[in-house]
Amino acid sequence: MFFKKLAASALALASAAKATIIYAGVDESGGEFGVYGAKGTGLPGEFGVTYAFLDQSTVSTWIDDQGINFFRIAFLLERMCPLATGLGSTFNETYYDEYADAVNYITGQGAYVLLDPHNYYRYNDPSSQPTSGSIIGDTSDSAAATTDDFAAFWGELASRFASNDFVVFGLMNEPHDMSTELIVDNNQAAINAIRAAGANQLILAPGNGYTGGHSWNASTCSTCDPSSEWLQKLTDPANNTAIDIHEYLDEDFSGTHNTCTQSGPANLYGLTEWLNEYGLKAVISEFGAGANSDCYEYVEDLLQYLAANDAYIGWSAWAAGPFWGTADACCGPDTGNLEPGTLTTDGTPGAYDTVWATAIKPNVPSALKKSGISSLSL
Ligand SMILES: *[C@@H]1O[C@H](CO)[C@@H](O)[C@H](O)[C@H]1NC(C)=O
Ligand SMILES: *[C@@H]1O[C@H](CO)[C@@H](O)[C@H](O)[C@H]1NC(C)=O
Ligand SMILES: *[C@@H]1O[C@H](CO)[C@@H](O)[C@H](O)[C@H]1NC(C)=O
């Protein structure tokens, strides 16, 4: 315990000197809610009843009191692009407007927003995500949307936000159990479409294995090449793409246990080497841990490691959101979630008052990016 604290403070000194983290914030989850059940359940859904993106009254709390500059807002592809018209450039304008309201409300306050299609590179059946739905670009599945459809979707979304400098494009949440080459093909098609739409903001591109940093160099399914063999092949005409990473600290990296046993620094070491080898940057757009002193140390070790390594430019924690109530957003039981003011199921303070207040808030850097188009640097 004592040695651990010493090591942590040495890293903190290094981070003060380098100050590499320019985005720090929270994930807003709720726009994807209400579809988990029988196939077709909850589509299109009802705004404010089965899904919602954000409680706008919490935004000033986050920005002014907690000092963050970054929000990741989830939405569901099957709601943005209804099944009747399919994945592509035809949107449900009602859902789009609701989403754009949440995005523009935050960017209007001078914070950055990461757009998050929360679909695991699947489209057409979100009932049992992350495993249901056809893999986007899978040419052996006649029901699957194509890579071109995905590019058309991103081209349209990017064109609508092209003049909002505070937007960041997250290509896809947590691809898994699919060809890594196809992930790169889909990512590349989306990057090309976004740039062709005249949008030059920061893009975050995911890898395989739920884009886990610990398994970047590993095969995560029988037919999955390691992300480290493919993701460096991406090209971006605007040179403004970073790698999107998720990293939980429990035994199986799933964020479903409230005991922490997986060291962020030890598990990200290989990824860091790979990023440095190719001159790439990364953002950790999901992490989380249980509400206990052991986990707080793991969280602090992770955030101080990110701050001490130039390859990392940002992070955001899972998750706040208007519809969690007392539910565990991760790392339960009895962890709750990051929505300000919420409790756990047993009536004790939720993760905003525990994990965030104790372990995350003290690691929010003071010199975050406050102006200019979203990019890899201040
Ligand atoms: C579009 O979304 C709104 C809001 O969820 C919904 O009421 C409407 O039925 C949807 N339209 C289609 C065609 O899915
Ligand atoms: C992107 O980087 C390449 C290689 O360094 C350079 O040739 C090119 O001009 C850059 N493009 C932009 C838009 O900065
Ligand atoms: C990645 O895996 C390869 C092949 O197993 C190995 O040679 C290499 O050292 C690994 N790199 C890192 C950074 O773990």
Side-chain angles (χ1 to χ4, degrees):
M1 200 69 90
F2 182 65
F3 288 110
K4 202 170 163 64
K5 284 208 185 304
L6 271 182
S9 64
L11 286 174
L13 281 177
S15 79
K18 286 191 175 176
T20 58
I21 297 298
I22 61 172
Y23 305 103
V26 69
D27 297 335
E28 292 283 348
S29 162
E32 79 282 31
F33 278 20
V35 288
Y36 312 117
K39 184 171 179 179
T41 304
L43 290 177
E46 203 179 334
F47 182 56
V49 178
T50 57
Y51 70 87
F53 301 102
L54 181 72
D55 178 348
Q56 292 187 350
S57 72
T58 64
V59 171
S60 67
T61 303
W62 282 115
I63 297 176
D64 302 331
D65 304 345
Q66 303 302 309
I68 69 168
N69 73 334
F70 192 56
F71 294 78
R72 174 176 183 252
I73 310 183
F75 66 95
L76 193 70
L77 277 181
E78 289 86 352
R79 285 189 175 131
M80 191 69 83
C81 300
L83 301 181
T85 40
L87 185 62
S89 59
T90 303
F91 288 1
N92 179 326
E93 297 298 338
T94 308
Y95 188 74
Y96 169 78
D97 285 346
E98 295 158 358
Y99 186 65
D101 273 352
V103 173
N104 293 333
Y105 183 81
I106 292 174
T107 60
Q109 321 278 314
Y112 292 82
V113 173
L114 173 57
L115 312 187
D116 168 28
H118 213 76
N119 274 70
Y120 309 87
Y121 264 138
R122 269 72 175 173
Y123 173 85
N124 68 21
D125 175 13
S127 62
S128 297
Q129 282 191 352
T131 53
S132 60
S134 296
I135 295 170
I136 295 169
D138 179 358
T139 52
S140 72
D141 176 354
S142 61
T146 66
T147 296
D148 284 349
D149 295 335
F150 184 63
F153 152 72
W154 263 117
E156 179 64 25
L157 190 63
S159 75
R160 295 177 182 219
F161 285 109
S163 62
N164 187 338
D165 281 356
F166 287 85
V167 163
V168 179
F169 304 121
L171 298 181
M172 180 53 62
N173 177 66
E174 298 192 344
H176 66 92
D177 296 286
M178 61 187 284
S179 148
T180 310
E181 182 175 7
L182 178 55
I183 292 173
V184 167
D185 285 349
N186 287 343
N187 287 352
Q188 188 64 62
I191 291 170
N192 295 349
I194 290 168
R195 298 313 182 212
N200 290 313
Q201 297 99 320
L202 179 63
I203 292 173
L204 300 187
N208 218 336
Y210 301 87
T211 206
H214 55 278
S215 56
W216 201 250
N217 198 26
S219 172
T220 54
C221 79
S222 60
T223 56
C224 296
D225 291 340
S227 297
S228 61
E229 287 180 11
W230 285 98
L231 269 290
Q232 77 280 8
K233 296 178 194 286
L234 290 173
T235 60
D236 175 5
N239 297 335
N240 199 15
T241 294
I243 301 296
D244 194 358
I245 296 293
H246 290 180
E247 194 67 18
Y248 288 91
L249 303 166
D250 53 340
E251 56 181 359
D252 57 359
F253 310 96
S254 64
T256 58
H257 310 87
N258 63 7
T259 303
C260 292
T261 57
Q262 293 289 356
S263 156
N267 288 314
L268 292 179
Y269 174 79
L271 169 67
T272 308
E273 298 250 290
W274 179 88
L275 291 165
N276 289 336
E277 180 180 349
Y278 293 104
L280 293 168
K281 304 289 184 193
V283 171
I284 309 292
S285 72
E286 279 191 26
F287 69 95
N292 54 76
S293 57
D294 218 33
C295 278
Y296 298 156
E297 293 221 16
Y298 276 87
V299 168
E300 298 220 75
D301 284 352
L302 168 67
L303 295 179
Q304 289 169 9
Y305 176 81
L306 300 180
N309 283 277
D310 278 329
Y312 299 95
I313 59 168
W315 49 257
S316 61
W318 185 262
F323 277 2
W324 285 108
T326 58
D328 301 314
C330 85
C331 316
D334 298 332
T335 299
N337 61 79
L338 298 177
E339 185 71 356
T342 49
L343 304 174
T344 66
T345 42
D346 62 5
T348 58
Y352 174 78
D353 290 306
T354 57
V355 185
W356 179 276
T358 310
I360 304 179
K361 169 72 163 67
N363 290 289
V364 174
S366 51
L368 295 170
K369 188 171 172 73
K370 290 283 160 50
S371 63
I373 187 169
S374 59
S375 67
L376 301 165
S377 57
L378 274 177

